[in-house]
Amino acid sequence: MHFRVGESHLGCAYFLFFPCQKTPSPKGTIRFSETTLQQIRQATQQKGFASTAAMIRHAVDQELSSGDDVEQRIAATLDRIQGDLSRIERAQQTLFAFVDTLAKTLLT
């Protein structure tokens, strides 16, 4: 932060706070093969991004935000499988009872 000391018309000192220039984001390095880099450049132009970095940031943000959807889909799939297993268990119990009754009927 930058400070500027001044003096008011009454002779009192005052401070003005000026925020610094926007601090640069931490930088990281990602290495791509030449073919991948060419594909990224083409996609950047096709999708209208200002730069390849902007497109990569957008893609990473999309991937990170879609992680919750994957968890929800997995949970829904597990719930569906649990319901299917319950139905199969009831069908198996019904079949066992039928076979047991049939065997008792035939043997008596």
Side-chain angles (χ1 to χ4, degrees), residues 37-59:
L37 192 54
Q38 186 61 28
Q39 291 172 344
I40 291 171
R41 288 180 185 138
Q42 288 174 354
T44 300
Q45 291 175 352
Q46 290 173 353
K47 296 182 180 188
F49 285 97
S51 66
T52 56
M55 195 199 82
I56 291 171
R57 281 192 297 270
H58 176 74

Side-chain angles (χ1 to χ4, degrees), residues 39-89:
Q39 291 172 344
I40 291 171
R41 288 180 185 138
Q42 288 174 354
T44 300
Q45 291 175 352
Q46 290 173 353
K47 296 182 180 188
F49 285 97
S51 66
T52 56
M55 195 199 82
I56 291 171
R57 281 192 297 270
H58 176 74
V60 169
D61 289 342
Q62 290 294 327
E63 184 62 31
L64 293 176
S65 66
S66 70
D68 296 336
D69 295 339
V70 171
E71 290 176 10
Q72 291 174 353
R73 285 194 331 237
I74 291 172
T77 301
L78 291 175
D79 288 342
R80 185 183 52 79
I81 290 172
Q82 182 181 10
D84 291 346
L85 288 175
S86 295
R87 283 189 290 280
I88 291 171
E89 183 181 2

